[in-house]
Amino acid sequence: ISRSNVPGARGAMFIRSKNSRRGKTSDLSLLERREAQVVHVEASEPDASHGAAAHAAHGGEMEALMAIFCSKMTILLIFVPLGLFAEHLGLNSAMIFTFNFMAIVPLASILGAATESMASHTGEMIGGLLNATFGNAVEMIMCMQAVKAGLVEVVQGNLLGSVLSNLLLVLGMAIFCAGLKFHNRQFNAVGAAANMSCLVVASISICLPTLFGQIADTGDEVLMISRLCSLFLSLVYFLFLYFQLGTHAYLFVDEAEGEEEEEAHLSVMGSGILLILCTLVVAGCSENLVDSIEGVSTKFGLPKAFIGVILLPIVGNAAEHATAVTSAYRGKLDLAIGVSVGSSTQIALFVVPVAVLSGWYFGTPMSLNFRLFDMACQMLSVFLVSQVTQHGNTNWLHGAMLVTTYVLIAIMTWFIPERT
């Protein structure tokens, strides 16, 4: 007998089918609820990710600010208000010079960090232009203030001193410190050679107007020749930037670059605000510093040549000094050479033309007619550094020779008489 013909069996089958339909209905409702939860979670994920990204960006901004303002050098920021208001407080020229001298040191470091943060948000070409413009902003501001004040001799000494301090003092100390930790240290000789070639061109551009100026009655011609040379020097620098960052960028790659940790950077807006504020403060301190040079030289017997060639470059390059020496001691000699030699290239091919052209704008006879002593120092220093960097490896003795050469030049500048 079939079970389907039995009433009890039919009831049982009906009950089972009813229960199965209820089970399917409950399973469907459970599935719908789960799908609704998944859709809700997916809908809330963009808001959560946006909030996490905003929190991470805020944290990175704060971390970058802490890295900039919590260094040991920022302790000197206490001299910023003292330097800005020293003249209003009736202090003498020596105090005004000292306070502003000390104030510009941390400001140069902050300005360099803000420039690097801004450059990290742009392409390599734009970043290179930013570094060229703001990387030596302190030197440019001080030179323009001194050109406006008519202190041509101080400007020429500052420009020469910036090149010499980077080539001899900074590079020498970096190589010496690296040699204390490493017996011999290899570096990228090709990139250094390209920078040195540009420095040779810049030295020739100073040498030729200086020698031409020794001819009698050529004052006006030397001034026009200097302005034309400055235009061509600027062109050479932009061509070098295109060479370094564009067509031959592979020649300047550091082999240890991939091992470096990624650092936190400010946002574009934060970097821009910091650049503007720092540039304005540096301009104020530089103006006070330049205005006090005449009084310091007259009342205290400090030679203008020593102020321009030795003291002022130390102010503008203090941050680069610390970066180069620290990097070399940690084994990153390519970075140290890039900072020191690259900065010299920027000054010789970019800041020097800016100073000459700003003199053209202000009506000041700022030219490339340097002293014969200045010209000889630059030519011989470029030759010495070319000899040190041509082989691609260095030791501590090379660094000692560079620093000794810088000390000899510093001693001689103390005894240079004033121009009449």
Side-chain angles (χ1 to χ4, degrees):
I1 301 173
S2 176
R3 293 180 62 185
S4 59
N5 296 328
V6 181
R10 291 178 181 176
M13 291 179 65
F14 175 75
I15 292 172
R16 283 197 299 272
S17 63
K18 187 175 181 180
N19 290 336
S20 65
R21 286 194 297 271
R22 291 177 179 175
K24 291 179 180 179
T25 304
S26 62
D27 291 341
L28 288 173
S29 62
L30 179 61
L31 182 60
E32 290 175 353
R33 287 197 299 270
R34 289 179 178 176
E35 289 179 351
Q37 291 176 356
V38 170
V39 171
H40 177 70
V41 171
E42 290 179 350
S44 61
E45 280 181 355
D47 295 335
S49 62
H50 179 72
H55 181 71
H58 180 69
E61 190 93 2
M62 293 302 298
E63 183 180 352
L65 287 174
M66 292 288 289
I68 293 174
F69 287 98
C70 291
S71 64
K72 295 179 180 179
M73 195 174 293
T74 54
I75 298 176
L76 298 176
L77 287 175
I78 191 174
F79 290 101
V80 173
L82 294 176
L84 291 175
F85 298 103
E87 187 176 359
H88 300 285
L89 296 175
L91 300 179
N92 59 31
S93 56
M95 297 297 292
I96 296 174
F97 182 88
T98 302
F99 286 157
N100 286 282
F101 183 92
M102 300 299 293
I104 293 176
V105 173
L107 291 173
S109 176
I110 295 172
L111 192 60
T115 302
E116 292 179 1
S117 295
M118 179 66 79
S120 67
H121 298 287
T122 62
E124 290 187 344
M125 289 298 295
I126 303 299
L129 292 174
L130 286 173
N131 281 316
T133 305
F134 291 100
N136 290 292
V138 174
E139 286 87 351
M140 282 195 294
I141 292 172
M142 285 195 297
C143 286
M144 292 178 70
Q145 295 283 3
V147 167
K148 187 177 179 181
L151 300 175
V152 175
E153 183 179 349
V154 174
V155 176
Q156 291 178 338
N158 185 19
L159 295 173
L160 172 71
S162 295
V163 174
L164 295 182
S165 67
N166 279 294
L167 284 182
L168 300 177
L169 181 63
V170 180
L171 182 60
M173 291 184 64
I175 293 175
F176 183 79
C177 291
L180 294 179
K181 190 174 183 180
F182 307 97
H183 186 67
N184 281 300
R185 194 64 184 169
Q186 304 287 332
F187 61 90
N188 182 3
V190 179
N195 278 285
M196 295 310 300
S197 299
C198 290
L199 284 172
V200 171
V201 173
S203 300
I204 292 174
S205 70
I206 292 176
C207 177
L208 294 180
T210 301
L211 294 177
F212 184 80
Q214 302 306 309
I215 303 174
D217 300 328
T218 56
D220 295 335
E221 288 80 1
V222 169
L223 189 58
M224 182 53 63
I225 289 173
S226 299
R227 292 166 179 173
L228 294 176
C229 289
S230 298
L231 294 175
F232 282 101
L233 281 179
S234 302
L235 176 62
V236 170
Y237 182 69
F238 288 116
L239 291 176
F240 175 69
L241 274 184
Y242 183 65
F243 176 85
Q244 182 182 22
L245 304 175
T247 59
H248 291 71
Y250 62 91
L251 296 177
F252 299 87
V253 175
D254 183 6
E255 296 179 357
E257 186 177 359
E259 301 175 359
E260 297 179 3
E261 298 180 358
E262 184 178 356
E263 299 179 355
H265 293 286
L266 294 173
S267 63
V268 176
M269 182 177 293
S271 302
I273 293 174
L274 191 57
L275 274 176
I276 294 172
L277 292 178
C278 195
T279 302
L280 292 176
V281 177
V282 168
C285 291
S286 298
E287 184 176 3
N288 293 338
L289 180 69
V290 170
D291 291 341
S292 65
I293 288 177
E294 194 71 38
V296 171
S297 177
T298 303
K299 295 179 181 179
F300 299 95
L302 196 61
K304 288 183 181 179
F306 187 82
I307 294 174
V309 178
I310 304 301
L311 294 184
L312 294 184
I314 291 177
V315 177
N317 299 321
E320 294 168 352
H321 290 198
T323 301
V325 174
T326 304
S327 301
Y329 189 75
R330 293 175 179 174
K332 300 177 182 178
L333 189 56
D334 279 304
L335 177 59
I337 292 176
V339 169
S340 56
V341 180
S343 181
S344 297
T345 305
Q346 286 183 356
I347 293 169
L349 295 182
F350 186 75
V351 181
V352 170
V354 167
V356 174
L357 296 177
S358 64
W360 196 357
Y361 175 79
F362 290 120
T364 302
M366 173 65 194
S367 69
L368 297 177
N369 183 12
F370 284 48
R371 284 183 295 251
L372 289 175
F373 174 78
D374 297 342
M375 179 199 71
C377 286
Q378 180 163 338
M379 292 291 292
L380 294 174
S381 299
V382 170
F383 173 75
L384 176 60
V385 176
S386 298
Q387 293 295 312
V388 170
T389 58
Q390 67 178 346
H391 300 295
N393 91 8
T394 60
N395 52 59
W396 62 267
L397 182 59
H398 291 150
M401 289 188 294
L402 294 178
V403 175
T404 301
T405 305
Y406 184 79
V407 173
L408 293 177
I409 294 174
I411 292 173
M412 294 178 188
T413 55
W414 182 269
F415 297 98
I416 293 178
E418 299 291 334
R419 274 183 175 178
T420 57

